[in-house]
Amino acid sequence: MSENTVKIKSLPSEKKRKETDWLFGMSGKATFIAAFAAILIFCFLDAVHPGKAWIPNYVKYVAACALIYAIAGIGINFHSGYIGETSLGHAAFYGIGAYVTGFLTTRADMNFWLTIPIGMIFAAICALPVGWAGTRVRGSFMVVITYGYSEILRYIAINSLTLGGTSGISGIPTPTILGVKLTKISFLPSNKDGFILILFFIVAFLGFFTWRIVHSRVGYAFAAIREDSIAATAMGINVKGYKILALILSAVICSLAGSFYAGFSNFVAPDLLSATLSITIFTILVVGGRRTIPGAVLGAFIIVIFPELLRMVQEILHLSFDPWYILYGVLLVVIMRFKPEGIFGRKDN
């Protein structure tokens, strides 16, 4: 009798946990349909009245950048969210994807889509030594390892003439589908809509992929390691193996984001490997919420859109400084004080 009572009482909390994996407690399917409808309106609104731009092309540029950062946010969520390690070096994997795509498309004349899996493989290989070193340290030492690794790669890029040195690699060709550039698709109102639609479907797929991983044996192992790695080891969980796996998944997804950045901006530079970008990617989780799929996406949009809005304020008010850096600090302080788990984060996991 007591066992049945426990089971019955646990059902509401389990149902609630599944619902809150997605936006505002909706199901995954409802979230996708609502987001897809919003993206279609955003992309095709200008087609209603040809010749009149309802949404400026620059706004669509910012939206595409936010989707790229959302991919990176989902990526770092595996390592700094679900496994619970802090990383300030994920720009390394983001930059690896960008540089592999930039180098192969310009130097080897390789198709953009073929460079993506190559960049992922290269990022996974580069993640192995970092993951192995991370299994031998705890706490803040992982921050030092990831930060140092990113800086090593940045200085290699700066001093490598093959990678363009400080000038980086320019002239990266725009991706094509069936021979048509994503910026030249005839039925799309602007040259950014092709990227936005492709990136949206990638974010949606990665969200579903993340959800499946989190609710699988691998995800439960991640949770056990995050809560108590010693207890996880006692239960027979391969802690070192799962930590390395989490970092590889994280690196591969961040590499994907970097590849699309290279194809979207047509340019890569050593700044993509900098600590500043690593902090930005990590801040996505701090703001949006660790271990949540909507949090990784929302955090990316906040981190990308807010600076652009405040630059407009700077121009209007003729300020001699960038107000984003002030708001950035205030935003972090407020979130850490009133919502330390992030906007969509949960205290119970």
Side-chain angles (χ1 to χ4, degrees):
M1 184 70 178
S2 61
E3 182 180 352
N4 293 333
T5 305
V6 171
K7 288 183 178 179
I8 293 173
K9 288 183 177 180
S10 66
L11 287 177
S13 62
E14 290 177 2
K15 183 178 180 182
K16 182 179 180 182
R17 181 181 295 276
K18 288 184 179 179
E19 289 178 347
T20 53
D21 281 344
W22 302 100
L23 192 62
F24 302 127
M26 295 190 296
S27 67
K29 184 182 293 186
T31 302
F32 173 78
I33 292 173
F36 185 50
I39 284 292
L40 287 179
I41 294 172
F42 182 79
C43 290
F44 288 96
L45 185 61
D46 290 342
V48 176
H49 294 287
K52 182 177 181 180
W54 292 86
I55 302 176
N57 204 39
Y58 180 70
V59 173
K60 293 187 175 183
Y61 168 83
V62 173
C65 290
L67 287 170
I68 292 174
Y69 273 90
I71 295 173
I74 293 173
I76 195 174
N77 207 6
F78 277 101
H79 185 252
S80 294
Y82 296 113
I83 207 70
E85 297 281 0
T86 301
S87 169
L88 292 183
H90 267 64
F93 309 118
Y94 184 93
I96 285 172
Y99 265 98
V100 168
T101 294
F103 180 82
L104 292 178
T105 53
T106 57
R107 306 292 197 271
D109 198 26
M110 186 176 290
N111 185 281
F112 168 82
W113 304 104
L114 294 178
T115 67
I116 292 177
I118 296 175
M120 288 178 168
I121 293 171
F122 196 72
I125 294 172
C126 292
L128 283 174
V130 181
W132 177 81
T135 62
R136 306 177 70 85
V137 298
R138 293 182 181 179
S140 59
F141 290 103
M142 190 61 186
V143 178
V144 177
I145 290 174
T146 53
Y147 171 81
Y149 189 71
S150 180
E151 286 298 295
I152 289 171
L153 293 183
R154 185 170 74 90
Y155 278 103
I156 290 175
I158 289 174
N159 293 282
S160 175
L161 295 179
T162 305
L163 299 178
T166 56
S167 299
I169 301 174
S170 59
I172 300 171
T174 301
T176 61
I177 296 180
L178 300 177
V180 180
K181 292 183 177 181
L182 286 181
T183 55
K184 302 285 186 180
I185 299 177
S186 58
F187 61 86
L188 295 176
S190 81
N191 60 357
K192 303 295 186 296
D193 294 323
F195 276 103
I196 291 173
L197 290 172
I198 291 290
L199 290 168
F200 167 77
F201 282 111
I202 291 174
V203 170
F205 170 77
L206 290 175
F208 175 72
F209 172 77
T210 301
W211 185 85
R212 290 302 299 266
I213 289 290
V214 170
H215 292 85
S216 69
R217 174 178 290 187
V218 174
Y220 299 142
F222 287 169
I225 294 168
R226 182 181 67 249
E227 295 301 325
D228 192 331
S229 61
I230 297 176
T233 302
M235 290 188 295
I237 296 174
N238 185 356
V239 173
K240 292 183 178 180
Y242 279 112
K243 281 188 174 183
I244 294 175
L245 175 61
L247 183 59
I248 289 175
L249 287 172
S250 188
V252 164
I253 296 173
C254 284
S255 169
L256 173 62
S259 292
F260 268 96
Y261 174 83
F264 180 67
S265 65
N266 308 119
F267 174 77
V268 296
D271 289 344
L272 296 179
L273 300 159
S274 67
T276 301
L277 182 58
S278 292
I279 294 171
T280 299
I281 295 173
F282 180 73
T283 305
I284 289 173
L285 289 191
V286 175
V287 174
R290 298 190 190 192
R291 302 188 293 279
T292 66
I293 301 166
V297 178
L298 176 66
F301 273 80
I302 290 175
I303 293 300
V304 172
I305 292 174
F306 271 28
E308 302 303 325
L309 292 176
L310 290 174
R311 286 191 185 100
M312 295 172 59
V313 173
Q314 180 184 7
E315 293 179 1
I316 293 173
L317 299 179
H318 303 289
L319 299 176
S320 59
F321 60 92
D322 189 347
W324 163 242
Y325 293 106
I326 296 176
L327 180 64
Y328 182 77
V330 172
L331 180 66
L332 292 181
V333 171
V334 170
I335 287 179
M336 290 298 99
R337 172 61 181 84
F338 297 102
K339 193 74 172 175
E341 66 276 8
I343 295 174
F344 279 111
R346 297 192 296 269
K347 295 180 179 180
D348 59 341
N349 69 329

